[in-house]
């Protein structure tokens, strides 16, 4: 049956930035589809764990600050040690710093780049080593952004990092497809998350953005669930190096 291709029963996933927002939504979706989920984040993931418990799933928290790329191998090792393997990695953790480019600091540049692209690469590398050793392939889902395709304003390091995520996703897909590893991405549109709180608090900008979204609303973490499960499942086995825009039609306008 076709719906069986979307099941994640028996799979093990690791989701970064799983304590809230989009990461939380995707982690819960993976659990609902049958996966055991390692939750990675800087802060407590009690709420996400309760949501997964309520869905009848199983999770395990791994506390890690991914602004330090040296922790990435340990994150993957911890997930494998607890669950006995790994099949899916979702690189969702990310930060943003807003300032005019003329005044942007080196620290704000480095903090964002370390979290949003350097740690992403080394998490992908660590997961791929596990996938290759296991010999059963694997799925990597990198969370990009509308600003993987556009410039934006006042977020120079964020835009640069998300352009890099798009390129890295394509490169790794080309290198690792031969190992039965699928590397794809999701580019969320304007979502109701912590990262967009400043925008949503600015009434003028909020309404200007809303007016340009054909769907007529900002997205929610639940809007990421279907794409995440699809890319983690056998249904996407022949997709390599593509980034899906979940944006309410923003890029089409």
């Amino acid at each position: 049956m076709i719906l069986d291709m979307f099941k994640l029963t028996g799979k093990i996933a690791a989701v970064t930035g799983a304590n809230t927002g989009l990461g939380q939504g995707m982690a819960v979706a993976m659990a609902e589809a049958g996966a055991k989920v390692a939750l990675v984040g800087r802060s407590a993931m009690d709420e996400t764990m309760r949501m997964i418990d309520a869905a009848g799933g199983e999770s395990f928290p791994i506390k890690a600050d991914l602004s330090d790329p040296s922790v990435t191998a340990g994150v993957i090792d911890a997930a494998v040690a607890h669950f006995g393997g790994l099949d899916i990695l979702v690189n969702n953790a990310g930060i943003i710093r807003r300032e005019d480019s003329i005044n942007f600091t080196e620290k704000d540049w480095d903090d964002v780049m370390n979290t949003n692209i350097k740690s992403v690469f080394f998490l992908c590398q660590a997961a791929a080593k596990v996938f290759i050793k296991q010999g059963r392939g694997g799925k990597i889902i990198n969370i990009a952004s509308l600003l993987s395709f556009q410039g934006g304003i006042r977020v120079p390091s964020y835009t640069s990092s998300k352009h890099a995520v798009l390129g890295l996703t394509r490169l790794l897909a080309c290198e690792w497809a031969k190992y039965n590893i699928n590397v794809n991405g999701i580019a969320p549109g304007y979502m109701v998350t912590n990262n967009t709180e400043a925008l949503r608090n600015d009434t003028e900008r909020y309404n200007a953005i809303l007016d340009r979204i054909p769907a007529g609303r900002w997205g929610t973490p639940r809007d990421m669930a279907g794409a995440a499960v699809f890319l983690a499942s056998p249904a996407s086995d022949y997709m390599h190096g593509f980034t899906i825009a979940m944006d309410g039609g923003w890029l089409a306008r």
Side-chain angles (χ1 to χ4, degrees), residues 51-143:
M51 293 170 73
I52 289 175
D53 286 345
E58 182 179 346
S59 63
F60 173 68
I62 301 171
K63 191 170 183 179
D65 182 354
L66 295 175
S67 65
D68 177 3
S70 69
V71 309
T72 53
V75 165
I76 298 302
D77 288 345
V80 171
H82 184 80
F83 286 121
L86 187 70
D87 302 286
I88 302 156
L89 169 65
V90 181
N91 282 311
N92 166 74
I95 62 173
I96 192 167
R97 299 284 168 81
R98 301 181 188 278
E99 179 57 86
D100 291 341
S101 294
I102 199 72
N103 297 319
F104 211 77
T105 68
E106 184 175 0
K107 184 178 188 307
D108 281 345
W109 178 272
D110 289 343
D111 287 350
V112 172
M113 297 299 280
N114 281 342
T115 301
N116 292 12
I117 185 60
K118 188 172 182 179
S119 283
V120 166
F121 171 72
F122 285 106
L123 281 165
C124 288
Q125 183 187 73
K129 289 179 179 179
V130 173
F131 295 158
I132 292 168
K133 183 178 180 180
Q134 291 174 160
R136 59 176 187 256
K139 305 279 187 172
I140 296 175
I141 305 168
N142 294 326
I143 304 306

Side-chain angles (χ1 to χ4, degrees), residues 21-240:
L22 302 185
Q24 183 179 79
M26 290 185 286
V28 173
M30 299 269 175
E32 290 175 340
K36 298 177 181 178
V37 188
L39 307 171
V40 184
R42 289 183 298 177
S43 55
M45 286 159 285
D46 297 349
E47 182 181 48
T48 308
M49 294 180 72
R50 286 194 296 269
M51 293 170 73
I52 289 175
D53 286 345
E58 182 179 346
S59 63
F60 173 68
I62 301 171
K63 191 170 183 179
D65 182 354
L66 295 175
S67 65
D68 177 3
S70 69
V71 309
T72 53
V75 165
I76 298 302
D77 288 345
V80 171
H82 184 80
F83 286 121
L86 187 70
D87 302 286
I88 302 156
L89 169 65
V90 181
N91 282 311
N92 166 74
I95 62 173
I96 192 167
R97 299 284 168 81
R98 301 181 188 278
E99 179 57 86
D100 291 341
S101 294
I102 199 72
N103 297 319
F104 211 77
T105 68
E106 184 175 0
K107 184 178 188 307
D108 281 345
W109 178 272
D110 289 343
D111 287 350
V112 172
M113 297 299 280
N114 281 342
T115 301
N116 292 12
I117 185 60
K118 188 172 182 179
S119 283
V120 166
F121 171 72
F122 285 106
L123 281 165
C124 288
Q125 183 187 73
K129 289 179 179 179
V130 173
F131 295 158
I132 292 168
K133 183 178 180 180
Q134 291 174 160
R136 59 176 187 256
K139 305 279 187 172
I140 296 175
I141 305 168
N142 294 326
I143 304 306
S145 168
L146 292 183
L147 296 185
S148 298
F149 305 94
Q150 300 178 323
I153 57 171
R154 304 188 76 244
V155 286
S157 56
Y158 184 84
T159 296
S160 298
S161 71
K162 291 303 184 178
H163 271 66
V165 167
L166 186 67
L168 180 66
T169 298
R170 291 168 172 165
L171 175 139
L172 296 180
C174 292
E175 288 196 22
W176 295 345
K178 65 184 178 183
Y179 299 116
N180 198 27
I181 298 172
N182 299 79
V183 187
N184 292 293
I186 304 174
Y190 285 93
M191 298 278 178
V192 180
T193 66
N194 294 341
N195 273 356
T196 63
E197 185 176 4
L199 287 178
R200 289 183 287 110
N201 289 338
D202 183 332
T203 303
E204 183 176 348
R205 288 207 65 195
Y206 173 84
N207 288 329
I209 290 167
L210 182 63
D211 287 345
R212 197 188 163 213
I213 301 173
R217 66 176 178 86
W218 284 51
T220 69
R222 191 64 180 172
D223 289 316
M224 298 284 286
V229 169
F230 165 63
L231 291 179
S233 74
S236 64
D237 278 354
Y238 198 57
M239 181 179 285
H240 294 271

